[in-house]
Amino acid sequence: ASGYNRLNQTTEEGGSQAKEYLAIYFADRVRNVSQVFMGATVGCAQCHDHKYDPYTLRDFYALGAFFADLDERGVYGARSRPPMIAVPSIQQQQQLVKIQAELDALKHRRVQVQESLLPKQSAWEPLARQQTDALKEQVQVWIDDDQDTGGRREGEWNFITTDQGPVYRGKQARRQQSNQLVQHFFLGAERKVTPSPGTKFYAWVFLDPADPPQAVMLQLNDGQWDHRAVWGNDAIGYGKRTENWAGYQRQGELPPLGQWVRLEVDAEEIGLKPGSEVSGMAFTQFGGTVYWDQAGWLTAAAGLPQVVADALQVNADARTPDQARALTQYFINQSDEIIALDQQREALRDQQRGIESEMVQTVVSRSVTPRQIRVLPRGDWMDDSGEVVLPAIPAYFGELSSQNEPLTRLDLADWLCDHDHPLTARTMVNRIWGLLFGRGICASVDDLGGQGTYPSHPELLDYLALYFIESGWDIKQLIRHIVTSETYKRSSRWTEELRLHDPYNDLLARQSRFRIDAEMIRDTALLHSGLLVERIGGVSAKPYQPAKYYAQLNFPRREYQPDNDQNQYRRGVYTHWQRTFLHPMLKAFDAPSREECTAARSRSNTPVQALVLLNDPSFVEAARVFAERIIRSGGPTPETKVLWAYQTILQRVAEPEIAEQLLAVYESHREHYGQNPSEVGQLLAVGNAPVQAALESDDVAAWTAVARVIFNLHETSMRY
């Protein structure tokens, strides 16, 4: 739920200024919170005091300061918007619980095996010591205190000395800092590496505990860069796929922070075949501060690590804790039984990672140390001369008393839902009234201030606001109270007197007529056709959409594939939504782009809407399937079928003149399709739903024309 705070637009465009976009996100939240919960236009005070309402420039920034502790970045990258959490489905959760239980059992078994092996270590050490030279790991250094490979280098090679930061060996290390994706690399080294079985590439890293990265990556080049190993999350986009492959091998969590760690990756694991020539290496990270030092490759007859070989040369009582721990760990890990257990564990973890990679990710709020908020004179994000402000409600409403210093978002929430708050309950009640009547008691549902319209029934607004509060802010109870009222149950028929004296129904003398929202228009057609799937939840639905509609979208380029199963016919609320590129049908019927908070949708009446209802594949298919219903259920004659179709959709009997026109539509199209059979095939091929083979195709096509006309009627898309 806390992800609500972070649903604003973000950017990862190159060249963007992080400070500027933090100011943009800040302003978006102030506009959202004030409009949604207060029906107030506090956003108008971003650059100067509000001209019509009692909100000052200082109020704008003090209200936004409630969100100064959100963990966010001005500029993001790699399609990632941390912090995020995975949200497993019920099935995925059950699978993960089962896998974790098996992992716990393996862990317990491994501990038992380790305890049985420990007494045997002292007998193993003399034998291992005799073979040290044959087993000893050979370390080949490629990069150390300077980039001396003879190739070209790219990126910033920022060498630092021991007085500037941690250094692994020698006199220098390389520091790489960023709040997004960054790397440095070399290519075309004179000293090329020819991998053999057992070859590993390595690099020493030190992750700053005060500013850790999200991920680090090693990349090798043998003519191409599709050889990568990554530690941490999936923030780095290079080569990323859902599953592991040579170009993106996940190695698990980040290495320990605040200490030098040798990252290692097996050449074969990342697709480097024996005999290939490796001449480049890249050091990549997403965000944070990382110190990079010695890098190269390792060769070993049996993979004995250097630290183990060194420990074997020291008497047991003279070994350091690190040497003793490394030696014991190596002895245990080379046991056949332990190897078998570890292989089982890795297979389970592969399953676990596979499920986790498929889980939906959602943004969440995470509180960090609040950043300093200043009033920006004239809204200029580059002007730091304004006063520093702490979280506060608009001064017009007084001051909050709280035990917290400074105030927190919980204080803001408590204030918004306080029984004595003058705006929140009225705003919510007015918005719900507008959804039910097509117009709020105060027509400007997004502005209850001086520029908004005065309530047509202020006492009614006050009464419902109090009712809402006293019900415990129960939205369902409020809706039930309104729809069971005499006012809501009135007819929408109007008289000439009302049309002249109350054209906008301010007096509530009748029920309102208004066009239903975009999503419901498609739902209506699917419902009458019998295609509508009312399953709740699940992945987004992808209805038919014009080819190459997403052609202008880049980074990454997108290919839209409409659903070919029952997901195609789900309710419009589940339609896949590409922000700023919403589905054309929804756009035609005034659905908002969701770039910013929209408290009230506009309602237009344009020729494009009629064209959509006539030609959008979803509506053509729905009309064709409804035509089959007409033939099966409409009675024995065309006349009875016309009356049945009209009454089924509009819930009233068709007037004789309307029935005659619809019958004429049927007869003319029946004749036309009889003479043009190729057009019948084209029409019936629209959509995934199969055509009923038992029905005459010319007849289905003709009744489809009738259904398209009825779907396009004013009454079909209106709430009466």
Side-chain angles (χ1 to χ4, degrees), residues 267-343:
E268 185 177 359
E269 185 181 1
I270 56 174
L272 292 169
K273 299 179 181 179
S276 61
E277 289 190 339
V278 181
S279 62
M281 191 173 191
F283 311 94
T284 308
Q285 71 197 62
F286 193 98
T289 301
V290 179
Y291 297 88
W292 299 84
D293 207 327
Q294 188 185 95
W297 69 98
L298 312 169
T299 58
L304 185 66
Q306 184 68 46
V307 65
V308 175
D310 292 343
L312 284 169
Q313 305 305 316
V314 181
N315 291 331
D317 55 357
R319 291 170 188 156
T320 66
D322 286 344
Q323 287 177 323
R325 184 166 48 251
L327 189 58
T328 299
Q329 196 63 51
Y330 179 80
F331 166 69
I332 290 171
N333 289 345
Q334 52 83 45
S335 161
D336 290 340
E337 192 170 358
I338 289 292
I339 290 173
L341 289 172
D342 288 348
Q343 288 174 342

Side-chain angles (χ1 to χ4, degrees), residues 575-592:
T575 298
H576 170 78
W577 197 294
Q578 182 70 50
R579 183 175 276 177
T580 74
F581 272 78
L582 65 159
H583 192 279
M585 178 266 154
L586 299 179
K587 187 174 184 178
F589 285 95
D590 307 309

